[in-house]
């Protein structure tokens, strides 16, 4: 695989960070270039627009995170533990961000998607694509948990989407309240919803 230019990677990293910390609208090309330490002319060498950069940055960030999710949702990991690891990963990330920035930032995909989904179809489509990949991971865990009689039967895809909606709603609430407590309660709430017994959790 060809190596991504260091300047291009810094621009994508800066865009992701700035839009997550504040908003898409308030993040200018100048601010991205300043954070990245890249001249504006170089920006337009790599990207036609801020929208073009945003789509590329989302994809690059997803490719970086995917191996971690592959490990969390590996079939070798017990299905109930996969949920626990997924939610713990989010809590740990948000805790680190709060320590660094003073704020709970929530999910960058939902933050960006909610802001620009009616204004920029390229960004909306990329956000929707990546969110769909998260649901696929959750669906596999639901199916395996059902196969082991660890959670209630039913449509695995619908259950996974419900879990993801609960997860993302909790992330957004944590951002709004600037409080990690909703995320600390998330695992117990999802397990209660799924009908996970203590035996399954401790297995």
């Amino acid at each position: 695989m060809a190596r991504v230019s260091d300047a291009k990677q810094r621009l994508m990293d800066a865009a992701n960070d700035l839009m997550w910390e504040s908003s898409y609208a308030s993040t200018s090309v100048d601010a991205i270039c300043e954070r990245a330490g890249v001249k504006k002319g170089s920006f337009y060498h790599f990207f036609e627009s801020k929208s073009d950069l945003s789509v590329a940055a989302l994809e690059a960030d997803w490719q970086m995170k995917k191996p971690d999710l592959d490990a969390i949702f590996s079939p070798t990991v017990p299905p109930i533990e996969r949920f626990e690891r997924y939610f713990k990963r989010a809590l740990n990330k948000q805790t680190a961000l709060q320590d660094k920035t003073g704020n709970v930032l929530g999910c960058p995909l939902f933050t960006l998607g909610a802001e620009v989904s009616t204004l920029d179809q390229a960004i909306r489509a990329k956000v929707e694509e990546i969110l769909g990949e998260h649901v696929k991971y959750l669906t596999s865990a639901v199916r395996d948990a059902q196969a082991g009689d660890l959670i209630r039967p039913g449509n695995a895809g619908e259950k996974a989407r419900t879990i993801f909606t609960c997860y993302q709603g909790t992330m957004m609430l944590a951002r709004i309240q600037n409080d990690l407590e909703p995320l600390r309660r998330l695992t117990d709430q999802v397990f209660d919803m799924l009908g996970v017994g203590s035996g399954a959790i401790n297995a």
Side-chain angles (χ1 to χ4, degrees):
M1 181 181 294
R3 181 178 178 273
V4 176
S5 161
D6 182 60
K8 183 177 182 180
Q9 186 62 55
R10 294 204 310 273
L11 285 166
M12 292 189 292
D13 290 343
N16 276 328
D17 289 345
L18 287 169
M19 289 186 290
W20 195 9
E21 292 168 11
S22 54
S23 69
Y24 180 84
S26 66
T27 299
S28 65
V29 170
D30 286 338
I32 294 170
C33 291
E34 182 178 356
R35 173 72 71 93
V38 173
K39 292 183 178 181
K40 198 170 184 178
S42 296
F43 175 97
Y44 289 107
H45 171 73
F46 295 115
F47 305 105
E48 293 183 1
S49 64
K50 185 170 72 169
S51 173
D52 184 36
L53 165 61
S54 299
V55 172
L58 288 169
E59 177 61 25
D61 185 64
W62 167 244
Q63 292 302 325
M64 183 179 67
K65 291 175 178 175
K66 193 173 182 298
D68 188 31
L69 291 172
D70 286 342
I72 288 172
F73 287 94
S74 168
T76 63
V77 178
I80 298 302
E81 187 176 336
R82 295 177 218 170
F83 297 124
E84 291 177 315
R85 290 186 182 187
Y86 184 61
F87 298 142
K88 184 177 181 180
R89 172 180 175 272
L91 176 59
N92 289 344
K93 177 66 174 178
Q94 296 301 318
T95 300
L97 286 167
Q98 189 181 47
D99 290 343
K100 178 182 177 181
T101 68
N103 295 297
V104 178
L105 298 183
C107 174
L109 295 168
F110 259 57
T111 300
L112 179 61
E115 181 185 0
V116 304
S117 63
T118 61
L119 304 174
D120 190 307
Q121 291 305 302
I123 295 176
R124 184 206 61 75
K126 178 54 66 175
V127 168
E128 185 177 26
E129 175 190 333
I130 297 171
L131 293 177
E133 293 299 314
H134 281 261
V135 173
K136 289 179 184 177
Y137 281 117
L138 290 166
T139 300
S140 68
V142 169
R143 284 178 179 151
D144 289 348
Q146 289 175 331
D149 293 324
L150 300 173
I151 65 175
R152 299 186 186 101
N155 186 298
E158 287 300 321
K159 285 185 180 294
R161 283 186 283 273
T162 298
I163 293 168
F164 193 58
T165 299
C166 181
Y167 165 71
Q168 288 293 356
T170 300
M171 290 276 276
M172 188 60 71
L173 182 63
R175 177 183 171 106
I176 292 169
Q177 295 179 342
N178 195 28
D179 187 355
L180 292 167
E181 189 57 31
L183 284 171
R184 295 191 182 103
R185 299 194 300 264
L186 178 60
T187 300
D188 288 342
Q189 291 172 338
V190 169
F191 284 177
D192 182 64
M193 177 180 66
L194 292 174
V196 177
S198 59
I201 297 173
N202 296 324

